[in-house]
Structure formats: structure tokens, C-alpha cells
Amino acid sequence: MIWLKYNARALIYVVLAAFLGAWGGYELRGSQIDTKEPMVEMPESQPVGHIGKPSILPETEVKLSYEFLLCGHVIEKTEKDGELTGLRLEDIANKYPDCRVLEFDEAHVVISRELERYCPKHYILFLDDNNKLCILHTDEADFEKEVVTVLNYDVSALPEEVLDLLKEGISFASLEEINLYLEDAES
């Protein structure tokens, strides 16, 4: 009884705290049951850094516009479920630093690129650093420049003004035009 006399106040606080804790838990449980929110379908899981950021889906229509600055031609492509599927805006900017994204949502993406080269309709005859005549062409698949061939041609017979033009590069529509030009330049 002496213990109860000295600890009555502490015992009352413990009983009161237990009662308030039980009552609060019951109230919280009751409020969750009463709201009965409809079940929401969870979206496909994404890495935490990508949540809420739109990306190109397989059904997204992607319009690509390529402007070739050296010839002025423009090539436009439209694709679905292509190489850009799954990419976000930041991924496109990293992959193509020279692009401008004009529209970006899950239904439509419009991308414009300016490329400092000739389009695939042209063949470029140029003189490389080793004084070799080369033919350059832009690949139609990825629009990257590639050397088609290095000609076994003695450039010492060419006039100086032709050599100056070749250092810059001369555009032709076909390989046959290049042959005709070289035959003409020799004479």
C-alpha cells in the first residue's frame, strides 16, 4: 500500500496514456474504413528518378526533320516504335545535342535537327590532309558522313584554283559527275 501511495500519480498517467493510445488507434482505424477509396491501378514500375517524366512509347508518333545546312535540303521521317522508344526528353538531348524538341508528349514528338553536312543526294569530292582525293557521302540510315572511296589520282596535274576548291569540297549529284569533272579538270 505504501507503493501505491507514492506512485499513484505515475500509475494514473500510465493508465491514461494507454487509454488515449488505444482510443486514438481505434479512431484512426475507423476513419480509414469509412473513406473506402476506390482501388487505383498502379502504373508500371519505373526507376525513382524517372517517375512522372514522360517518355516515348511504342505507339508514340515521332516526326523527325533533318535540315542539311550545306545543301539546304530537308528530309522528314515519321516513325513509331523506332530507336527513340523509351527515351525521355533528357535522353534525346544527350543523344542528339544538335536537336530541338518542338513537341513532346506521349502521343506526338516532333524533333528538328540541323546537320552541318550535305544530304544523301550528294557526293563530295575533296582533298584530304595527305593530298589524296576522297569521295564523301552521307549515309541514308543514320545521316553520318562516311568516306566512300579514296581515289588513286595524281592531283599534281590539277590547276591551283581546282585544288583550292577541292580542299573545301565540291558537291556532285552522282559518281559519274565526279568522273566527268576530273576528266574536264585535267584538260
Side-chain angles (χ1 to χ4, degrees):
M1 199 56 133
I2 295 178
W3 180 87
L4 189 60
K5 183 178 175 184
Y6 290 110
N7 295 314
R9 192 177 277 168
L11 185 60
I12 291 173
Y13 290 141
V14 168
V15 169
L16 186 60
F19 173 75
L20 288 176
W23 178 73
Y26 177 76
E27 285 296 316
L28 284 176
R29 183 182 151 273
S31 67
Q32 286 179 352
I33 292 174
D34 292 344
T35 59
K36 291 186 182 177
E37 293 182 23
M39 295 217 22
V40 177
E41 187 175 317
M42 295 301 291
E44 189 176 309
S45 66
Q46 298 177 354
V48 174
H50 296 198
I51 294 174
K53 296 181 181 179
S55 63
I56 297 175
L57 304 173
E59 60 272 4
T60 303
E61 182 178 81
V62 179
K63 292 182 182 179
L64 299 157
S65 175
Y66 300 92
E67 181 180 352
F68 296 89
L69 298 177
L70 296 181
C71 63
H73 292 135
V74 175
I75 295 178
E76 294 184 353
K77 291 183 174 183
T78 301
E79 63 181 33
K80 285 187 179 184
D81 200 16
E83 68 177 23
L84 299 177
T85 299
L87 297 182
R88 297 170 294 124
L89 187 59
E90 299 85 25
D91 300 330
I92 294 170
N94 290 335
K95 185 171 182 167
Y96 304 115
D98 60 352
C99 80
R100 287 180 295 158
V101 179
L102 306 174
E103 184 178 337
F104 192 94
D105 59 42
E106 292 179 353
H108 302 289
V109 174
V110 179
I111 300 171
S112 173
R113 291 184 66 195
E114 292 180 344
L115 303 175
E116 182 96 22
R117 62 187 67 123
Y118 288 92
C119 76
K121 295 178 182 178
H122 302 276
Y123 291 89
I124 313 309
L125 181 65
F126 72 98
L127 195 60
D128 72 1
D129 295 335
N130 300 322
N131 277 342
K132 298 279 186 187
L133 271 181
C134 300
I135 299 175
L136 186 75
H137 187 253
T138 301
D139 184 49
E140 291 187 38
D142 59 4
F143 299 128
E144 292 298 320
K145 297 182 285 189
E146 59 184 27
V147 175
V148 175
T149 188
V150 177
L151 300 174
N152 187 13
Y153 189 86
D154 182 21
V155 295
S156 62
L158 295 174
E160 190 65 35
E161 60 271 359
V162 172
L163 290 174
D164 290 340
L165 288 173
L166 289 172
K167 287 178 184 174
E168 294 294 318
I170 305 172
S171 171
F172 295 93
S174 68
L175 295 172
E176 292 78 27
E177 284 186 15
I178 292 175
N179 285 335
L180 292 172
Y181 176 79
L182 290 174
E183 288 173 4
D184 231 13
E186 286 178 348
S187 50

